[in-house]
Amino acid sequence: MKDVVYIIDDDVSVREGVGDLLRSVGLEVQTFASGQEFLDTKRADTPGCIILDVRLPGRSGLELQKILQNLSIHLPVIFISAHGDVPISVRAMKSGAIEFLTKPLREQELLDAVHAGIERDRARREEAKLIADLRTRYDSLTAREREIMHLVVTGSVNKQIAGQASLSEVTVKVHRGHVMQKMRAKSLVDLVRMADRLGVTAQPARAK
């Protein structure tokens, strides 16, 4: 499925104009007159971004941005506004918006922001998929293997690990081999990077 851009603006002329521009470069477009309408619609599981008007009737764009964060909807947000409101733009950017554009919108500037947003969302999705895969591999380790992994990635050599885990060096080597195999790590550096991504560099409770 094509990448999707969600346009949320109560001005129909903006929705139609921006929608036509984005479709002309091969993007899928869905338009909404309000934030609630967007929230009530099922979204495709594909890379995309949101073009969001700051000033909407009822719930404002900034309020919707906060709701999206609370709902763990991580689509990058590009704010648009008919007013060059510096305080609002600062708030929007501090809250994670990737761009703040003023109307009338400049086509190339908008297209550049949209493509940047989609690429950011694609990268986030790929990273999330990788971490989920690493988590599955980590969960396949035994308690003892996790203990050995944590000691390995914190810089301990086999002799030190043997002493800390009350094991022989031969047994440590066996466990270490299992860890490398199950995690599909090609090197110690590779294993350290995996542990860092998983946030599991702190030593777990000692296996019994």
Side-chain angles (χ1 to χ4, degrees):
M1 186 175 179
K2 295 180 181 179
D3 300 331
V4 181
V5 181
Y6 304 94
I7 303 170
I8 308 173
D9 196 309
D10 61 312
D11 187 334
V12 64
S13 65
V14 172
R15 296 199 304 272
E16 292 178 350
V18 173
D20 288 344
L21 172 65
L22 297 177
R23 292 186 186 97
S24 74
V25 295
L27 293 167
E28 185 80 18
V29 176
Q30 293 183 26
T31 62
F32 307 90
S34 70
Q36 192 58 51
E37 188 180 336
F38 169 79
L39 293 172
D40 291 341
T41 301
K42 185 176 181 180
R43 291 168 297 281
D45 186 17
T46 187
C49 68
I50 297 172
I51 297 175
L52 176 60
D53 189 18
V54 168
R55 300 177 185 274
L56 293 171
R59 182 181 290 140
S60 73
L62 289 174
E63 289 174 319
L64 178 61
Q65 182 188 28
K66 184 66 175 178
I67 291 171
L68 295 176
Q69 292 170 345
N70 291 339
L71 294 175
S72 295
I73 298 174
H74 301 295
L75 289 164
V77 174
I78 300 165
F79 273 109
I80 57 176
S81 174
H83 310 275
D85 195 324
V86 175
I88 290 180
S89 65
V90 170
R91 283 177 59 195
M93 300 300 283
K94 283 186 175 180
S95 296
I98 64 169
E99 190 58 270
F100 191 100
L101 306 176
T102 55
K103 302 174 185 177
L105 299 169
R106 290 184 284 274
E107 291 188 357
Q108 193 57 54
E109 191 175 33
L110 178 61
L111 289 174
D112 289 346
V114 165
H115 286 304
I118 290 172
E119 285 307 310
R120 179 179 294 193
D121 192 44
R122 180 176 287 110
R124 177 192 63 79
R125 289 168 176 272
E126 290 174 355
E127 179 70 9
K129 183 178 179 180
L130 173 60
I131 290 176
D133 182 48
L134 289 176
R135 175 59 61 182
T136 298
R137 298 182 206 174
Y138 181 75
D139 289 344
S140 74
L141 301 178
T142 65
R144 178 64 80 182
E145 288 165 352
R146 290 181 194 178
E147 181 186 8
I148 299 300
M149 174 177 167
H150 285 249
L151 291 169
V152 167
V153 300
T154 51
S156 299
V157 297
N158 288 348
K159 185 175 182 179
Q160 293 172 317
I161 295 172
Q164 290 175 276
S166 301
L167 298 170
S168 69
E169 284 191 58
V170 172
T171 301
V172 168
K173 288 180 181 178
V174 172
H175 284 308
R176 186 168 181 159
H178 289 164
V179 169
M180 298 294 285
Q181 182 179 31
K182 289 183 179 181
M183 293 301 296
R184 300 178 207 163
K186 298 177 182 178
S187 65
L188 174 58
V189 172
D190 199 18
L191 188 67
V192 170
R193 287 173 179 163
M194 291 177 178
D196 186 54
R197 272 198 167 99
L198 288 169
V200 294
T201 51
Q203 187 175 343
R206 185 170 178 175
K208 296 179 180 180

